[in-house]
Amino acid sequence: MTEAQSEAIPARPVLNRVMLKISGEALMGDQGFGLHPPTVERIAREVQSVQQMGVEVCMVIGGGNIFRGLQGSAQGMERTTADYMGMLATVMNALAMQGALEALGLHTRVISAIPMDQVCEPYIRRRAVRHLEKKRIVIFAAGTGNPYFTTDTAATLRASEMACEAIFKGTKVDGVYDKDPMKHADAKRYEQISYDEVLSKHLKVMDASAIALARENGLPIIVFSLDTPGGFRGILAGEGTYTRVSD
């Protein structure tokens, strides 16, 4: 086998089924609002590279690039209405990501917690599992379908239901730090940290409900930089820089 041929063969993944959680803001690129198609395509290619390793991938995408329920509530909007608007924003992002993935030739399903049969499938756990077994990328939209729950909690819930082996939280930095590395040059990155430490130190990994649910189900959270080319694939090949949140 030549060196070029060996490089073409994906490294054996360390996990078989994972949840990728990204914020809606990750789809904005350098814009201040909405969707940036080149950024959506770049993330789709990251997902493609992981699926080509044989890993089953499901996703949850936030809606903050379009509408955030908490911000709407803070501005005087009724909280439940604001949260439902935020859920609809996640459906828009899921459809955008589906389009980018399918443009690469990948089979994708958007599954919504709020029924809207003309644009996506309703959430049925066994059907979603079957999609993953058929190597389709599944994007869960509309959060949990309930107000007062974030997409972090939705990602942890769906990952548990799908029997994922880990949640990959894509961010702008390469892990969890003791303070904001964008503002403090002496910020320390954790290689590994426990769920309890994340909660007690009020580290902004995921919201407290999501962390508690992950702890209860023994679901590790891998925090990594979504801006690092090949970072998602590299971690699954046993390489890369990240922080692992677990017991």
Side-chain angles (χ1 to χ4, degrees), residues 11-12 23 30 34 37 67 78 87 117 147 150 167-168 173 191 194 197 242:
R12 182 180 179 85
S23 66
D30 294 330
F67 187 87
E78 196 271 324
M87 291 180 218
D117 296 344
T150 67
I167 299 173
F168 280 70
V173 293
E191 293 284 341
S194 71
E197 285 181 285
Y242 58 91

Side-chain angles (χ1 to χ4, degrees), residues 22-29 31 34 39 61-66 68 71 93 172:
I22 60 177
S23 66
E25 287 89 340
L27 306 184
M28 293 192 307
Q31 302 174 154
T39 299
I61 307 172
N65 56 320
I66 299 172
R68 294 183 68 87
Q71 288 180 355
N93 284 338
K172 292 185 177 296

Side-chain angles (χ1 to χ4, degrees), residues 198-219:
V198 168
L199 292 172
S200 65
K201 294 179 179 179
H202 303 287
L203 300 175
K204 295 180 180 179
V205 178
M206 287 178 153
D207 65 75
S209 296
I211 295 294
L213 184 59
R215 178 182 60 189
E216 186 176 322
N217 290 284
L219 189 60

Side-chain angles (χ1 to χ4, degrees), residues 167-178:
I167 299 173
F168 280 70
K169 177 71 181 288
T171 69
K172 292 185 177 296
V173 293
D174 58 356
V176 180
Y177 286 76
D178 59 350

Side-chain angles (χ1 to χ4, degrees), residues 41-51 226 228-233:
E41 181 184 354
R42 177 182 63 78
I43 295 173
R45 290 191 181 280
E46 293 284 333
V47 175
Q48 178 188 40
S49 70
V50 166
Q51 203 222 30
L226 197 63
T228 302
F232 188 19
R233 181 187 184 281

Side-chain angles (χ1 to χ4, degrees), residues 150-171:
T150 67
T151 51
D152 281 345
T153 300
T156 309
L157 174 64
R158 297 297 184 232
S160 300
E161 291 178 304
M162 295 299 106
C164 291
E165 295 165 86
I167 299 173
F168 280 70
K169 177 71 181 288
T171 69

